[in-house]
Amino acid sequence: MTSLLKTEDETMLADSARGFLDDAAPVSHLRGLRDAGKVHDPALWAQMAEMGWTGVLVPEEAGGADMGHAAAGILAGEMGKTLVCSPFIGTAVIAATALRQVANDRASAALRGIAEGKTIYALAVDEGPKHDPDAAQMEAVADGNGFRISGAKTFVCDGMSADRVLVLARTGEGLTLFDLPTDRDGITRSAMSLVDSRDAARITFDAVAATGDDVLGQVDDAMTVLRPALEAGQAALAAEMGGVAAGAFAMTVEYLKERKQFGVPIGMFQALQHRAAHLWCETEVTASAIAHAGRKLDEDPAQATLAVSLAKARATQTVTLAVQEGVQMHGGIGMTDAFDMGFYMKRARVAAEWLGDYGYHAAIVARLREI
Amino acid sequence: MTEALDAFRAEVRDWLEANCPEEMRDGGSGEENICWGGKRWQFQSEAQKVWLERMAAKGWTVPTWPKDYGGGGLSRDEDKILQSEMRRIKARSPLQSFGIWMLGPALLHFGTHEQKAHYLPPIARGEVRWCQGYSEPGAGSDLASVQSRAEPRGDHFVVNGQKVWTSYADKADWIFALLRTDKDAPKHKGISFVLIDMSSEGVSTRPIRLISGSSPFCETFFDDVKVPREQVVGEENRGWDVAKYLLTHEREMISGGGGGLLGGRGVGAMLDGADDPVLRAGAMTCEIDALAMGLTLERYKDMAKTGSVGDASAMLKYYGTELNKRRNEVMMLAGGSDALEWDGAHGSLPADWLRSKANSIEGGTSEVMLSIISRRVLGLPA
């Protein structure tokens, strides 16, 4: 397998992404959206499309840049550092990966829409407070040549901005993945006011009509399409969380050097030095797991489950520690809304739950390692 | 480039096939199967002797050392191929020693040509066994406060003092030691890195018994030992530079191959379907962290090829050893009362568990590692 170190191209990608995002989407951008009551910035998304980011996993023949999962992780990581608010993971990673599993003209057209930045996708899988796709209960009942879908989904990230939604529903004995426009009759969306100020929706389906054309992949076989898409999303989310941890950590170390109490910089106190050093070690070890997941998805995708769950589990633990230490070491200022650290803590908590929490992924690692 | 490496691989494969004795292809890496070499070494078998001689003749006991000093002159890529071909046939390591791991790198970096030519080839051939004399009763984490003295008397030193935690001092032929050569200088500036023949008059050793049982550790005493002055490595009174360089090596060794972090007993097998949720949670977290640490070791090895990892290696030492302690705790918990008996149902597990507690002390404590990271990696004020 390719080394876990960044290649020259990857370093350039990271540097150029950083340059763009520091200018276009620093943390103040998220704060601005929140204060304006918005969850999406179409102008930012259009710029990402122009740079080829929305097509990072779209084949070249469908207008994409086809840079692969390691590159998608690098972009997600840079976004995480400044808490960039965009539908990147749901659309450019999860939906693009799902659509790539299907070889037909409709999927190609959908991929083109993603690459061009014209279509935003959301993934509607969760029905309860914990991620568990295999246990989805919402039913799509056979109706003539098609289906009628009824039920409710929750925690649909980017659900309010989305043009289309990938919906997981039970059909007979199996699960089927549907690709539906969000304006289909019978679909009702309501916004969740998430702590991280990002877009998420509850979606109800009231006898929504779906045809065979709306099925992505095969009926009763959602996982052939959905599993790779979920794994791609989990790896990218882990990378974003690595970025969130790195961003929070960098702020914290700077503060330890600047803030003076008892006449000295508080970074002189060994109690804080050792905690900061320990946290740095955690971020380093997690960075390896994140890089490995990207490489594995690019080079051996059928065997990537362990690598992906390892990355998501580690990233969840590390980012949680990073934001908790971030607030504590900043003291009172860390608790204020005027200071950015709180945004990091909120995003970390939402990302920890999305696409499976620590326990969910730890159980997958344990199963695959026969523990 | 790739073609040349492919050709090298074929050559290595043929040579190993022809030269590695069958008995040395059992993957035996346990303590009892290690060949340490040295003047008093008793070979376990004729095969072990032959294997060492043949590998030494190729320079492959120290594949990346220069040929002039007994090495194989291999590039890192060639060395990787040699190691992977040896693993493929489960070949044992022909020779391990502190001379290879520690003194060799120090001499290659700081030694004169004469010193390299004199000391390195016998290490490569497994003829001379070395031990390390760093710690003293009053110099542990504060290593630079060593008090053992080497007083200059014309063309030689007179050495007096005591070292502790000298692994295999009772079996080694020579020792490399940190000794105070200038007691008036600031503590880091009055130390020299000195090579001493253990058979010199006035050198004695005493083994140390640990909480885990008998151990390779010894106390080493110097009583008016005469040592020629040309046996200083690097400049006199600049021994701390050599020591610092070597400590980095030691850290990498303890956290990597040396610690056996990822090999050995699997936590899964120990659990054997146990359904205690607390135990299972501990085992899962350990496994996750161990897998991520394994990937990190790989990443750092690759990093070391392109530049120096430097002080960040303190992370490998800190994290690797703390993880190993946690892993041993989980295994003891999994074993229950079966794991409480010396050499019982779980073999050496109780001794390994106790021994693992030293991992985060030897070679720089976890707390020293964290201080190194906070100051030299994160740049926090001292």
Side-chain angles (χ1 to χ4, degrees):
Chain A
M1 180 168 308
T2 310
S3 163
L4 299 181
L5 299 178
K6 283 195 183 91
T7 63
E8 259 177 58
D9 283 351
E10 287 169 348
T11 302
M12 277 168 55
L13 178 68
D15 289 348
S16 71
R18 188 72 268 136
F20 168 75
L21 293 171
D22 277 342
D23 189 41
V27 183
S28 58
H29 177 259
L30 171 66
R31 180 185 291 276
L33 286 176
R34 181 200 67 172
D35 292 348
K38 291 178 181 165
V39 290
H40 177 57
D41 177 1
L44 179 65
W45 188 238
Q47 282 177 290
M48 290 186 183
E50 209 158 290
M51 291 184 295
W53 293 8
T54 58
V56 66
L57 292 173
V58 174
E60 285 175 15
E61 56 270 27
D66 205 7
M67 290 188 275
H69 295 278
I74 284 168
L75 291 175
E78 294 304 327
M79 291 182 203
K81 285 180 189 168
T82 48
L83 307 175
V84 176
C85 179
S86 88
F88 178 76
I89 291 178
T91 301
V93 178
I94 296 175
T97 303
L99 289 161
R100 278 191 88 148
Q101 311 302 314
V102 182
N104 63 33
D105 291 346
R106 212 178 53 80
S108 292
L111 282 164
R112 186 170 294 278
I114 289 175
E116 290 172 351
K118 288 178 182 155
T119 316
I120 292 174
Y121 265 92
L123 179 69
V125 166
D126 294 357
E127 297 174 5
K130 288 291 175 185
H131 178 73
D132 190 3
D134 295 307
Q137 293 301 319
M138 192 170 87
E139 279 192 289
V141 180
D143 178 44
N145 280 337
F147 301 89
R148 288 279 173 181
I149 305 171
S150 292
K153 293 287 183 183
T154 189
F155 196 24
V156 180
C157 292
D158 309 316
M160 297 307 289
S161 332
D163 306 298
R164 300 189 69 87
V165 62
L166 298 179
V167 185
L168 183 64
R170 201 155 281 285
T171 43
E173 288 307 298
L175 290 165
T176 300
L177 192 63
F178 294 89
D179 177 354
L180 305 173
T182 48
D183 59 3
R184 176 79 50 97
D185 279 350
I187 292 181
T188 310
R189 295 181 283 173
S190 66
M192 296 172 75
S193 59
L194 291 191
V195 290
D196 69 347
S197 307
R198 301 269 297 254
D199 181 1
R202 282 191 191 82
I203 306 186
T204 57
F205 299 80
D206 182 13
V208 174
T211 67
D213 276 354
D214 293 322
V215 173
L216 201 57
Q218 303 297 318
V219 173
D220 288 342
D221 184 25
M223 288 306 166
T224 300
V225 170
L226 185 57
R227 184 81 60 208
L230 284 171
E231 288 179 358
Q234 287 152 351
L237 183 58
E240 184 196 319
M241 295 163 90
V244 173
F249 182 65
M251 281 173 71
T252 304
V253 170
E254 278 316 296
Y255 191 72
L256 292 178
K257 292 174 186 172
E258 285 162 14
R259 169 73 172 171
K260 286 189 176 168
Q261 287 288 275
F262 307 102
V264 294
I266 58 172
M268 277 189 69
F269 299 120
Q270 199 175 54
L272 298 183
Q273 287 183 344
H274 283 195
R275 280 164 56 180
H278 170 78
L279 175 54
W280 179 77
C281 293
E282 295 287 359
T283 63
E284 276 295 289
V285 174
T286 295
S288 311
I290 291 169
H292 179 245
R295 291 274 184 265
K296 198 79 183 163
L297 284 169
D298 283 334
E299 296 176 20
D300 189 12
Q303 301 296 324
T305 306
L306 176 64
V308 168
S309 282
L310 179 66
K312 178 65 164 69
R314 278 287 320 185
T316 299
Q317 290 303 72
T318 300
V319 78
T320 302
L321 181 65
V323 296
Q324 288 174 356
E325 292 289 60
V327 169
Q328 180 64 24
M329 292 194 201
H330 276 87
I333 189 99
M335 284 299 294
T336 62
D337 182 71
F339 196 72
D340 287 340
M341 187 56 76
F343 283 96
Y344 283 86
M345 178 168 273
K346 294 163 185 171
R347 179 58 188 163
R349 186 78 271 283
V350 173
E353 288 296 330
W354 193 29
L355 304 176
D357 65 4
Y358 182 81
Y360 177 84
H361 289 285
I364 290 174
V365 172
R367 175 168 55 76
L368 294 173
R369 297 287 295 174
E370 295 175 7
I371 284 177
Chain B
M1 185 65 193
T2 326
E3 268 174 38
L5 287 178
D6 286 345
F8 179 74
R9 184 181 291 277
E11 185 190 316
V12 168
R13 193 172 286 195
D14 290 347
W15 188 89
L16 288 175
E17 198 45 60
N19 289 282
C20 182
E22 208 53 48
E23 300 97 303
M24 294 292 106
R25 301 187 194 190
D26 60 356
S29 58
E31 177 71 30
E32 70 283 3
N33 291 322
I34 293 176
C35 176
W36 290 100
K39 291 190 179 111
R40 287 172 283 166
W41 182 249
Q42 301 278 326
F43 286 100
Q44 186 187 49
S45 63
E46 182 62 20
Q48 192 183 49
K49 180 165 182 272
V50 166
W51 179 223
L52 170 60
E53 285 168 358
R54 288 178 182 169
M55 285 291 274
K58 288 289 272 187
W60 287 356
T61 51
V62 282
T64 58
W65 289 11
K67 282 187 170 173
D68 287 350
Y69 303 131
L74 301 191
S75 69
R76 282 179 190 279
D77 285 336
E78 288 170 334
D79 182 36
K80 253 187 163 173
I81 288 172
L82 172 60
Q83 301 308 327
S84 84
E85 286 301 314
M86 284 177 65
R87 272 197 304 276
R88 198 180 59 83
I89 62 165
K90 298 201 174 113
R92 288 192 198 173
S93 167
L95 178 67
Q96 295 193 31
S97 74
F98 291 93
I100 293 177
W101 298 325
M102 308 184 78
L103 180 63
L107 279 175
L108 285 169
H109 200 265
F110 294 95
T112 61
H113 169 69
E114 288 72 23
Q115 287 174 330
K116 292 181 204 174
H118 182 73
Y119 293 108
L120 293 177
I123 292 173
R125 292 193 296 265
E127 292 166 0
V128 172
R129 184 170 179 178
W130 287 82
C131 64
Q132 180 201 52
Y134 277 17
S135 299
E136 294 180 6
S141 288
D142 183 14
L143 184 60
S145 68
V146 288
Q147 295 301 318
S148 289
R149 297 267 292 125
E151 285 176 75
R153 301 265 173 83
D155 64 350
H156 67 274
F157 294 113
V158 174
V159 177
N160 278 289
Q162 181 194 345
K163 293 290 175 183
V164 70
W165 308 121
T166 343
S167 299
Y168 300 109
D170 52 346
K171 297 189 169 67
D173 305 306
W174 281 68
I175 185 169
F176 48 96
L178 291 179
L179 301 173
R180 190 151 299 282
T181 37
D182 183 350
K183 63 178 169 29
D184 300 322
K187 66 178 180 179
H188 292 89
K189 307 246 162 96
I191 297 169
S192 296
F193 189 95
V194 185
L195 311 180
I196 303 173
D197 186 339
M198 291 292 278
S199 65
S200 312
E201 197 167 330
V203 179
S204 60
T205 67
R206 192 161 66 196
I208 298 172
R209 186 172 168 81
L210 295 182
I211 57 173
S212 49
S214 61
S215 84
F217 291 118
C218 295
E219 293 174 288
T220 302
F221 303 90
F222 301 103
D223 186 13
D224 283 335
V225 180
K226 251 182 99 173
V227 178
R229 264 175 108 153
E230 66 262 24
Q231 288 174 203
V232 169
V233 177
E235 283 176 52
E236 241 172 67
N237 295 321
R238 297 294 298 273
W240 187 246
D241 296 343
V242 186
K244 268 198 307 187
Y245 176 80
L246 269 190
L247 283 169
T248 312
H249 259 268
E250 189 180 359
R251 261 172 233 147
E252 282 165 338
M253 201 176 79
I254 287 172
S255 56
L261 176 70
L262 299 167
R265 254 176 272 265
V267 179
M270 287 285 299
L271 285 182
D272 194 25
D275 54 6
D276 170 4
V278 175
L279 172 57
R280 294 196 62 79
M284 283 184 194
T285 301
C286 241
E287 183 72 6
I288 285 169
D289 296 345
L291 287 169
M293 184 62 196
L295 295 169
T296 304
L297 288 170
E298 286 301 312
R299 188 162 67 90
Y300 269 64
K301 267 188 221 162
D302 288 342
M303 218 187 283
K305 273 187 246 166
T306 51
S308 175
V309 173
D311 294 312
S313 70
M315 182 273 288
L316 302 180
K317 204 279 172 181
Y318 165 66
Y319 210 89
T321 56
E322 292 294 336
L323 182 57
N324 198 38
K325 287 198 299 182
R326 268 163 57 202
R327 213 167 71 121
N328 274 282
E329 287 292 339
V330 168
M331 290 199 287
M332 285 298 286
L333 191 57
S337 62
D338 281 348
L340 301 180
E341 204 177 7
W342 298 110
D343 297 316
H346 295 288
S348 63
L349 176 61
D352 295 346
W353 159 68
L354 287 163
R355 180 61 181 80
S356 73
K357 302 306 177 198
N359 295 164
S360 52
I361 301 169
E362 57 205 346
T365 63
S366 285
E367 291 70 24
V368 166
M369 295 303 109
L370 290 173
S371 290
I372 288 172
I373 292 165
S374 67
R375 288 182 198 151
R376 302 200 207 137
V377 179
L378 305 183
L380 292 175

